[in-house]
């Protein structure tokens, strides 16, 4: 069977291999890596992840009380993970462990990228990745790869988002000028 990019883009990737394909697409694994290299990398990433997770989990209440930025991130993550769409089976139920994993990954991301930390909407992006990966560590590193690509959408000055909207406007202008004009372009 011949690889057809158009078919893949329209139909998606076979669910049986989706989590492996996404690891490449989201930059967790290099396209040219060998199976042995990926196994070694995953071991290193596993250690790195749990070391960062331990950093925030081991903060005492006194330390946390003196760390306002961390408290702010923690509050936002708690609110957003509580708002996760519970109609999807992976997240259904009041005491669903996947919500806790979502929370842990987001808090660990705050330790990984403290400058960016947490911004509303990140939980929605991670929620999809976690469903596909079904693994906390793999979901984290895929999320890191995604955020590296889209982090400018979360900047306070919103320049990244403005640039994307400008490009979308230009695309709409050429592809559907009537809709572009209707929207006030």
């Amino acid at each position: 069977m011949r690889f057809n990019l158009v078919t893949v883009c329209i139909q998606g990737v076979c669910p049986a291999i989706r989590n492996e394909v996404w690891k490449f697409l989201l930059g967790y694994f290099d396209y040219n890596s060998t199976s042995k290299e990926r196994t070694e990398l995953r071991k290193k990433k596993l250690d790195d992840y749990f070391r960062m997770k331990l950093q925030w989990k081991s903060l005492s209440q006194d330390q946390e009380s003196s760390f306002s930025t961390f408290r702010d991130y923690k509050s936002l993550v708690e609110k957003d993970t509580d708002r996760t769409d519970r109609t999807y089976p992976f997240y259904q139920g009041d005491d669903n462990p996947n919500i806790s994993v979502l929370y842990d990954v987001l808090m660990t991301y705050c330790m990984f990228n403290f400058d960016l930390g947490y911004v509303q909407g990140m939980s929605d992006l991670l929620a999809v990745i976690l469903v596909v990966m079904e693994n906390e560590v793999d979901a984290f590193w895929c999320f890191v790869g995604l955020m590296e690509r889209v982090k400018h959408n979360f900047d306070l000055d919103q320049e990244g988002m403005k640039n994307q909207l400008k490009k979308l406007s230009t695309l709409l202008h050429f592809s559907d000028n009537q809709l572009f004009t209707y929207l006030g372009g």
Side-chain angles (χ1 to χ4, degrees):
M1 187 170 111
R2 198 169 150 261
F3 175 76
N4 184 331
L5 183 59
V6 173
T7 302
V8 170
C9 289
I10 292 171
Q11 296 178 356
V13 176
C14 173
I17 62 168
R18 185 171 292 144
N19 67 347
E20 289 302 313
V21 171
W22 279 31
K23 290 173 190 172
F24 289 94
L25 294 175
L26 294 173
Y28 182 10
F29 293 145
D30 184 88
Y31 291 109
N32 298 315
S33 63
T34 65
S35 177
K36 182 180 177 188
E37 290 169 334
R38 290 190 296 274
T39 300
E40 290 171 5
L41 176 69
R42 186 157 193 295
K43 286 178 187 174
K44 181 187 178 313
K45 296 286 192 180
L46 188 80
D47 291 341
D48 291 346
Y49 175 78
F50 284 109
R51 190 177 324 99
M52 287 182 284
K53 183 176 177 179
L54 185 60
Q55 287 175 337
W56 69 266
K57 284 240 180 210
S58 62
L59 289 177
S60 69
Q61 286 185 346
D62 288 340
Q63 289 172 313
E64 193 174 317
S65 69
S66 301
F67 201 171
S68 63
T69 305
F70 178 81
R71 285 193 320 271
D72 292 345
Y73 290 157
K74 186 176 179 182
S75 175
L76 288 170
V77 170
E78 285 171 354
K79 288 176 189 172
D80 278 3
T81 54
D82 285 345
R83 295 179 192 143
T84 301
D85 182 4
R86 302 302 176 94
T87 61
Y88 193 78
F90 191 80
Y91 294 109
Q92 280 180 345
D94 292 333
D95 294 325
N96 187 315
N98 294 319
I99 298 295
S100 297
V101 173
L102 185 69
Y103 174 84
D104 286 357
V105 171
L106 290 168
M107 289 303 299
T108 304
Y109 183 78
C110 289
M111 294 307 292
F112 175 80
N113 186 345
F114 209 79
D115 288 339
L116 180 57
Y118 181 78
V119 179
Q120 189 173 9
M122 288 180 177
S123 64
D124 295 326
L125 299 174
L126 176 59
V128 175
I129 294 171
L130 188 56
V131 167
V132 171
M133 292 299 126
E134 295 182 332
N135 176 285
E136 182 175 351
V137 175
D138 292 342
F140 174 80
W141 290 109
C142 287
F143 181 68
V144 166
L146 176 63
M147 289 308 301
E148 188 58 34
R149 291 188 173 121
V150 301
K151 66 184 174 189
H152 297 295
N153 291 344
F154 295 95
D155 290 339
L156 288 177
D157 66 4
Q158 297 183 337
E159 276 307 307
M161 189 64 72
K162 290 175 187 174
N163 286 336
Q164 283 197 9
L165 290 172
K166 197 180 301 181
K167 289 176 185 176
L168 180 60
S169 177
T170 301
L171 181 64
L172 189 59
H173 176 67
F174 289 106
S175 65
D176 192 339
N177 193 43
Q178 185 177 2
L179 179 58
F180 173 80
T181 304
Y182 174 79
L183 293 174

